[in-house]
């Protein structure tokens, strides 16, 4: 069996690693899309306290679209949400609502 060319092997490894790592420009695009498409009906906090898998984020987007959200950059938005608010992230700090603060 021929010995694999080391240069080819090296390039392949680089491409593989680059492909697996989250693309920062796609994440930025998704973040911008969130600010454009997701704040019409509620704030960002209800989104950012979630800890969901990619599949559940995908369903969440469909749920919002069915309620009238207009998403133009779905792939970027999903990438941003699935990497930033995934199940392996520590729980988000919960802030009291106005009513909650009033009870103190
Ligand atoms: C047309 C109005 C509307 C838009 C636009 C909208 N949402 Fe929502 N969203 C809602 C309502 C209403 C609720 C809370 C009601 C409920 O789920 O009981 C909600 C709740 C949520 C929740 C909490 C979990 C849940 O399902 O209740 C998440 C997460 C969420 N939205 C994400 C998003 C994202 C991401 C976007 C941007 C694509 C978005 N929303 C845009 C109406 C909207």
């Amino acid at each position: 069996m021929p010995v694999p060319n080391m240069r080819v092997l090296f390039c392949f490894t680089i491409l593989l690693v680059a492909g697996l790592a989250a693309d920062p420009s796609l994440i930025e695009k998704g973040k911008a899309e969130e600010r454009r498409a997701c704040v019409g009906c509620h704030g960002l906090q209800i989104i950012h306290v979630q800890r969901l898998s990619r599949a559940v984020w995908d369903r969440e987007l469909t749920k919002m679209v069915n309620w009238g959200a207009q998403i133009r950059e779905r792939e970027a938005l999903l990438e941003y949400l699935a990497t930033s608010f995934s199940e392996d992230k520590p729980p988000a700090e919960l802030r009291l609502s106005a009513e909650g603060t009033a009870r103190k």
Side-chain angles (χ1 to χ4, degrees), residues 89-101:
K89 294 280 186 300
E93 198 181 307
L94 291 174
R95 270 178 270 140
L96 289 175
S97 67
E99 290 89 341
T101 323

Side-chain angles (χ1 to χ4, degrees), residues 38-101:
C38 307
V39 294
C41 305
H42 52 68
L44 292 175
Q45 196 196 357
I46 195 172
I47 303 174
H48 295 178
V49 296
Q50 310 291 328
R51 295 293 180 264
L52 310 174
S53 68
R54 182 175 293 264
V56 178
W57 270 121
D58 199 34
R59 260 189 284 154
E60 193 62 46
L61 292 183
T62 302
K63 178 177 170 180
M64 295 304 139
V65 166
N66 288 340
W67 279 346
Q70 294 185 345
I71 302 174
R72 289 189 208 135
E73 303 286 350
R74 182 158 177 148
E75 194 199 330
L77 180 58
L78 180 60
E79 185 64 25
Y80 160 67
L81 294 171
T83 51
S84 312
F85 311 106
S86 49
E87 292 161 307
D88 58 345
K89 294 280 186 300
E93 198 181 307
L94 291 174
R95 270 178 270 140
L96 289 175
S97 67
E99 290 89 341
T101 323

